[in-house]
Amino acid sequence: MTLYALCFALFLVGLYGLLTKRDLIKIILSSGIMGYACNLMLVLFGYRRGGVYPILERGREAGPMVDPLPQALVLTSIVIELGVTALLAALAIRLFQKYRTYDITKIRRLSG
Amino acid sequence: MPIETWLTFLLGFMILGSIVALEIKDILSSIVAIGVVGLAVSLAFLFLQAPDLAVVQFLFEIFALIILVRAFIRKDFHVMERASSGRWIIGFTLIGLAAVFLLSLKVFRVLPPFGEPLMETSRYYLEHGAADTGAANIVAGIILDYRAYDTLGEVTVLLTAILGTLTVLRFRARDGKGGGR
Amino acid sequence: MTDKPAGMTLIIKTVCRLLVGLILLYGIYIILHGHLSPGGGFGGGVVLALGLLAVLLAYGREETLKWLRLGLLKDLEHASPLVFLLIGLAGTAWGGAFLANILSKGRLFALLSSGLILPLNVVIGLKVGLSLFLVVLAMAEFDLDKGAEE
């Protein structure tokens, strides 16, 4: 319960940055923070008390394991997040090349 | 120590690191702070018994750090003088987000409590995964056998993102030999 | 990058030349053991990309592209989702469902087990590694100071 709330607080910190920052780099970093919070929240849902990691080993009897499904989903999500970060960074440096600034308010003004 | 204590500590650390990353003036310090947050996420995955995710998160964090530093750190880069919006906008945003946080606290009580997941499909995966897929790593069995279609979609998304990046950056393979249109 | 002396100092170049093989080997190990231990295609692919990236950083762009055939890498990267799709279609033809696991499952804990998971891991590792390397390469040769040309 506390953990979920803290994770949600992390998400909201990212949202705060996304809404108030003018710097494109800070905005990209904020979206990254939101991604961390989402991934962590999904894995938190799948934790099972006393469970071990969902990998079978030779010579270890199968005890209770944590939920592997959120882990599988988050594994792909992390990769996509990196791809999106790269795309956003590319867009940002293209904008910088054109307008010589990372300030979104100035970029808006220049576009006329 | 119980796992909740560790995770609470880590999450507090992450929130602190994120605030530092967002509020600090220097861009390089900001990116490094984000890297620290990502490594804390990796550590949290380790505590949550997800070594697959810890490995992948760790490596991707390093890579994201390299990409961001490569993209944004220049010798002639200057610190922005006013990186935030005005005081009024920040105030209203903070009030709004605090309201969202307080109002949604009740939702977390409805969710299954920490440490006791529902595991309806997963129970089947855990019991029959090794026999069905032949993989000792059940996570790999899920992403590449039970839900391989999902992974195909993920590969497509990655392809699209990378193609978008290469297009936006006007990248061409310049050594002849096929490719590079 | 277009630094004045291409790449870094001799010490870094030598260390990098010695280490890059080990890094790539480790990446391949992680990919091939994806169904037995943590890691798999995603993690191993990033290790491959980081190995290539070490070469890129140490030797500079021109040197690196002399022994990497960029066009081939790019084609391989763009073709890997197609390979994934073809493996899936093979599952349709012989297994009755898209991406059905048609190969023999083998013994548990053996390296050559679990049917299609191993080839799919290899495809994903290739895809992730090459695409991330291409992104860094594109960012490295992107000239920020060219100004707005259109």
Side-chain angles (χ1 to χ4, degrees), chain B residues 16-33:
Chain B
L16 205 66
S18 311
I19 294 173
V20 166
L22 290 179
E23 293 303 331
I24 209 164
K25 283 271 161 37
D26 185 26
I27 292 297
L28 181 59
S29 315
S30 182
I31 291 174
V32 170

Side-chain angles (χ1 to χ4, degrees), chain B residues 52 60 70 132-133 136-137 145, chain C residues 1 35 39 46 57 101 105:
Chain B
D52 262 308
F60 273 80
R70 247 351 235 256
D132 279 356
T133 67
N137 185 347
D145 191 321
Chain C
M1 286 299 281
H35 55 295
V46 190
L57 288 177
N101 203 339
K105 304 287 191 303

